[in-house]
């Protein structure tokens, strides 16, 4: 038994070459990247990078490069762009749309779309305002009921899609119209309800942890969580006799994360401190990423995005997973709506409208989630919304009007979708799709 385990652990990269007899001629041979790094060190990274380029597996590289270019351009145009104050304001402003984008990621993983999230977010803000401000309900109870409203709306959309067979596009388009009308109805003739500036919702975006230890503590916590997760994950893989990342690789990745995390903490501490909104958003990303990558439910979501029929034959309750995913989308739409209401300290008839829906979907796609289903992570929402908010704030500093912002954001979205489509074609050519 020990001999088998040792031989499995010390296997060479050639032992883990994945051959695909149905792959077309010239297909790229897939080698487990963990073995390449373990055996070749830095050369292994280069080899794996070249393989990914040939097979079209670009990951988050395009969006990271694009974000760097965007920041470089706007910094050259206006030195205030990368100031601590502007970056902190950007981080808070992106949370509302980012929360909605997290829910969109779940839906896109199924290869579907949810067009109702903008209207559902507006309903959540209006529901809280009417219950708390107009009717005097307890803030926390009104807060919970507002989120539950989004969950119920999403589950209803999922029911019509999964059980009745109405296409997701059609049912969520109907939801967009219905929930927008419902929001206007409950807001009444006045159309605007101001929130308590010291209330629960208002503090979602106005509260900052002024103690410098808060930002540094969060940076340290994120770094430690990543290292512990990676370390014990590798230990489990080694115990199972399958390839794992070498310790040096885990340490390198952790060090890079620490540099980024503490750099962000320094920026926050140069302004008002650590925003509560950012803490909540990071927490949501950590939890949702864990659910998708480390739980049976997450594997079912990815499986449906790959093949519905194969998932059904594997015993997955397709209808329930679909309903739950749309319920998750509605929930995060409601949460995002409350953050947006917090930012403007009111619920009004314009909530959920404008470019919110476009930006939420664009954030998920630009960040790296595939429109074709089966590929993506909730962290993509962070990258995507950071790109969009960077464009918005950069153009605003230059005094450029909203129509130009729409055109540029639309161009970035189109470029991302083109990259996604080309990537899929390249992977098929490489025999990996």
């Amino acid at each position: 038994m020990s001999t088998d385990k040792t031989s499995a652990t010390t296997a060479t990269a050639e032992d883990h070459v994945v051959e695909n007899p149905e792959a077309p001629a010239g297909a790229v041979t897939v080698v487990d990247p963990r073995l390449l790094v373990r055996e070749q060190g830095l050369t292994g990274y280069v080899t794996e990078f070249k393989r990914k380029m040939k097979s079209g597996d670009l990951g988050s590289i395009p969006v990271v490069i694009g974000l760097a270019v965007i920041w470089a351009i706007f910094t050259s145009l206006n030195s205030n762009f990368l100031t601590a104050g502007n970056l902190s304001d950007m981080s808070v402003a992106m949370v509302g749309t980012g929360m909605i984008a997290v829910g969109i990621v779940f839906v896109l993983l199924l290869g579907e779309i949810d067009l109702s999230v903008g209207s559902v977010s507006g309903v959540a803000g209006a529901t809280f305002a009417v219950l708390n401000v107009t009717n005097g309900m307890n803030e926390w109870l009104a807060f919970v009921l507002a989120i539950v409203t989004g969950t119920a709306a999403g589950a209803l959309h999922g029911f019509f899609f999964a059980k009745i067979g109405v296409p997701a596009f059609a049912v969520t388009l109907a939801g967009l119209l219905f929930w927008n009308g419902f929001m206007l109805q409950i807001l009444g003739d006045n159309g605007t309800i101001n929130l308590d500036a010291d209330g629960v919702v208002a503090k979602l975006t106005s509260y900052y942890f002024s103690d410098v230890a808060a930002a540094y503590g969060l940076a340290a916590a994120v770094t430690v969580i990543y290292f512990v997760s990676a370390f014990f994950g590798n230990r489990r893989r080694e115990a199972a006799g399958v390839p794992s990342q070498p310790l040096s690789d885990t340490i390198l990745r952790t060090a890079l994360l620490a540099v980024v995390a503490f750099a962000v903490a320094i920026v926050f501490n140069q302004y008002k401190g650590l925003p509560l909104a950012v803490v909540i958003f990071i927490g949501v990303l950590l939890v949702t990423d864990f659910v998708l990558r480390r739980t049976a439910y997450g594997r079912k979501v990815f499986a449906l995005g790959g093949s519905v029929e194969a998932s059904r034959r594997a015993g997955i309750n397709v209808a329930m997973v679909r309903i739950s995913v749309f319920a998750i989308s509605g929930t995060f739409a409601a949460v995002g709506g409350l953050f947006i209401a917090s930012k403007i300290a009111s619920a009004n008839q314009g909530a959920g409208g404008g470019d919110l829906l476009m930006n939420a979907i664009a954030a998920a796609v630009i960040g790296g989630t595939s429109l074709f289903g089966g590929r993506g992570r909730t962290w993509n929402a962070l990258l995507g919304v950071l790109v969009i908010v960077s464009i918005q704030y950069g153009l605003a500093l230059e005094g450029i009007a909203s129509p130009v912002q729409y055109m540029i954001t639309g161009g970035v979205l189109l470029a991302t979708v083109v990259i996604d489509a080309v990537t899929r074609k390249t992977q098929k050519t490489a025999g990996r799709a």
Side-chain angles (χ1 to χ4, degrees):
M1 182 69 179
S2 59
T3 302
D4 294 339
K5 179 179 178 180
T6 302
S7 61
T9 305
T10 59
T12 62
E14 287 76 8
D15 296 327
H16 285 76
V17 174
V18 178
E19 300 290 349
N20 185 356
E22 298 180 359
V28 178
T29 301
V30 181
V31 180
D32 195 301
R34 290 173 290 263
L35 290 178
L36 285 173
V37 174
R38 182 183 297 277
E39 296 176 9
Q40 302 178 18
L42 181 59
T43 305
Y45 281 110
V46 177
T47 303
E48 175 63 6
F49 178 78
K50 291 179 179 179
R51 183 195 67 77
K52 286 184 175 182
M53 293 300 101
K54 291 180 180 179
S55 64
D57 187 10
L58 302 178
S60 299
I61 293 176
V63 68
V64 172
I65 294 175
L67 184 62
V69 171
I70 290 170
W71 283 17
I73 292 174
F74 285 127
T75 301
S76 66
L77 294 175
N78 194 315
S79 59
N80 291 324
F81 181 77
L82 285 183
T83 59
N86 191 58
L87 290 176
S88 181
D89 289 343
M90 283 170 50
S91 68
V92 174
M94 74 180 186
V95 173
T97 304
M99 287 289 190
I100 300 175
V102 169
I104 290 291
V105 168
F106 278 81
V107 176
L108 290 179
L109 287 175
L110 296 182
E112 303 296 340
I113 194 68
D114 188 347
L115 301 178
S116 68
V117 289
S119 296
V120 172
S121 70
V123 167
T127 298
F128 175 84
V130 169
L131 292 178
N132 174 242
V133 179
T134 305
N135 296 306
M137 181 180 288
N138 176 270
E139 277 189 304
W140 284 106
L141 180 57
F143 185 88
V144 172
L145 289 178
I147 295 177
V148 170
T149 299
T151 306
L156 183 62
H157 300 154
F159 173 81
F160 280 104
F161 168 56
K163 292 290 189 180
I164 309 300
V166 182
F169 177 89
V171 70
T172 57
L173 179 59
L176 181 154
L177 299 173
F178 178 85
W179 297 116
N180 184 61
F182 182 75
M183 178 191 69
L184 298 177
Q185 180 67 30
I186 64 175
L187 284 175
D189 296 333
N190 185 33
T192 300
I193 301 176
N194 294 323
L195 304 180
D196 181 5
D198 295 321
V200 172
V201 170
K203 286 186 176 180
L204 287 175
T205 56
S206 65
Y207 186 83
Y208 292 77
F209 297 95
S210 57
D211 191 335
V212 296
Y216 293 132
L218 179 62
V222 170
T223 303
V224 170
I225 289 173
Y226 173 81
F227 177 79
V228 171
S229 176
F231 179 77
F232 285 103
N234 288 331
R235 290 287 295 273
R236 287 193 297 270
R237 296 185 68 86
E238 290 175 0
V242 295
S244 62
Q245 292 177 346
L247 181 60
S248 59
D249 182 59
T250 301
I251 293 175
L252 176 60
R253 292 169 181 263
T254 303
L256 292 175
L257 176 61
V259 170
V260 174
F262 279 93
V264 172
I266 291 173
V267 170
F268 285 147
N269 284 334
Q270 288 178 346
Y271 188 53
K272 296 180 180 179
L274 177 64
L276 173 63
V278 172
V279 176
I280 296 174
F281 191 34
I282 295 299
V284 165
L285 291 175
L286 287 171
V287 172
T288 52
D289 184 66
F290 177 85
V291 169
L292 282 177
R293 296 197 304 120
R294 299 297 180 90
T295 67
Y297 175 78
R299 289 190 288 272
K300 292 176 182 178
V301 173
F302 279 104
L304 259 65
S307 173
V308 175
E309 184 58 32
S311 300
R312 183 178 288 109
R313 292 182 179 183
I316 295 175
N317 189 331
V318 173
M320 289 307 299
V321 173
R322 283 174 164 174
I323 292 173
S324 67
V325 164
F326 277 90
I328 290 172
S329 179
T331 300
F332 280 111
V335 173
L338 292 173
F339 273 92
I340 294 172
S342 171
K343 187 66 178 175
I344 62 177
S346 67
N348 58 48
Q349 294 178 337
D355 59 353
L356 178 61
L357 172 62
M358 179 196 72
N359 285 342
I361 297 175
V365 176
I366 290 173
T369 303
S370 175
L371 279 170
F372 302 97
R375 190 179 79 247
R377 297 178 61 178
T378 51
W379 288 100
N380 296 149
L382 172 60
L383 286 174
V385 76
L386 190 54
V387 169
I388 291 174
V389 172
S390 296
I391 293 173
Q392 291 175 339
Y393 270 64
L395 294 177
L397 285 175
E398 295 303 305
I400 298 176
S402 295
V404 179
Q405 294 183 25
Y406 290 160
M407 288 187 288
I408 293 178
T409 304
V412 173
L413 176 58
L414 177 61
T416 305
V417 175
V418 169
I419 291 174
D420 186 24
V422 172
T423 296
R424 285 178 59 84
K425 289 183 179 180
T426 305
Q427 289 178 341
K428 287 182 179 179
T429 303
R432 301 185 66 241

